Amino acid sequence: MGKLDMTKPALLFVCLGNICRSPLAEGAMRAAAERAGLDVEIDSCGTAAYHVGAPPDPRSVETAAAHGIDISGLRGRQLAAEDFTRFTHIFAMDHQNLRNIEAVRPAGASAQVSLLMDAVPGREGAAIADPYYDGEDQFEFTWEDVNAAADALVKQLKP
Ligand code: 4NP
């Protein structure tokens, strides 16, 4: 992804269930934007509907809390057609998410869709692995990835 343009950025983080990876990405980005004093719209959602209305996975809540961030109030929602005009940038956690997002993109919609790790120099093309079936340790690796991406996005967004 190149330098972001300076219309008010609106960033949407997308995974499969919107309970593990993308809520952590949303939390990391909210914290990074706040630290940098950036006015950015931030949200997350899932390509699937399994966890609509559900809070983040307790392992994601604990991992965020360990880094001083409260994501317990977030609730799952599914990606919708209007997201492609409401958001300037849509970030997929992995390649399957990216394919699922592109499959429902309305023709001519304005949002730029990319892998989240494309924002991190040297990590372009990398996936953020689904930690759902793994142990708590994996959630810390997820955090490190989404936090690196949040820092990289802030650098690009800073005037
Ligand atoms: P996420 O993880 O996409 O990072 O939120 C998952 C959450 C739930 C399921 C799969 C992945 N699931 O199959 O229910």
Side-chain angles (χ1 to χ4, degrees):
M1 190 184 66
K3 189 118 179 123
L4 301 180
D5 71 35
M6 287 302 137
T7 55
K8 180 171 172 178
L11 314 181
L12 180 63
F13 299 92
V14 184
C15 62
L16 175 63
N18 194 207
I19 57 167
C20 296
R21 291 166 290 177
S22 61
L24 276 177
E26 178 178 346
M29 189 67 212
R30 285 190 186 284
E34 195 174 334
R35 283 194 302 273
L38 282 177
D39 183 22
V40 191
E41 192 183 337
I42 300 162
D43 196 11
S44 65
C45 69
T47 58
Y50 319 128
H51 300 284
V52 170
D57 186 286
R59 296 165 294 178
S60 282
V61 173
E62 279 172 30
T63 301
H67 293 277
I69 296 168
D70 181 9
I71 62 167
S72 64
L74 300 181
R75 293 295 178 266
R77 75 167 180 91
Q78 189 176 19
L79 180 67
E82 53 266 29
D83 288 323
F84 291 85
T85 45
R86 200 180 132 207
F87 291 90
T88 56
H89 295 78
I90 298 179
F91 297 109
M93 299 297 126
D94 66 29
H95 300 82
Q96 183 65 52
N97 303 150
L98 187 62
R99 283 190 291 274
N100 291 341
I101 294 165
E102 291 292 1
V104 297
R105 165 203 272 281
S110 52
Q112 282 184 31
V113 181
S114 61
L115 280 175
L116 179 58
M117 293 310 278
D118 283 352
V120 183
R123 302 288 304 280
E124 297 90 346
I128 298 179
D130 181 356
Y132 186 64
Y133 297 102
D134 294 318
E136 299 223 359
D137 289 358
Q138 191 61 41
F139 283 73
E140 181 59 26
F141 295 127
T142 303
W143 168 262
E144 287 171 11
D145 282 347
V146 299
N147 196 47
D151 284 343
L153 289 171
V154 161
K155 282 206 184 95
Q156 294 181 42
L157 290 165
K158 263 194 202 154

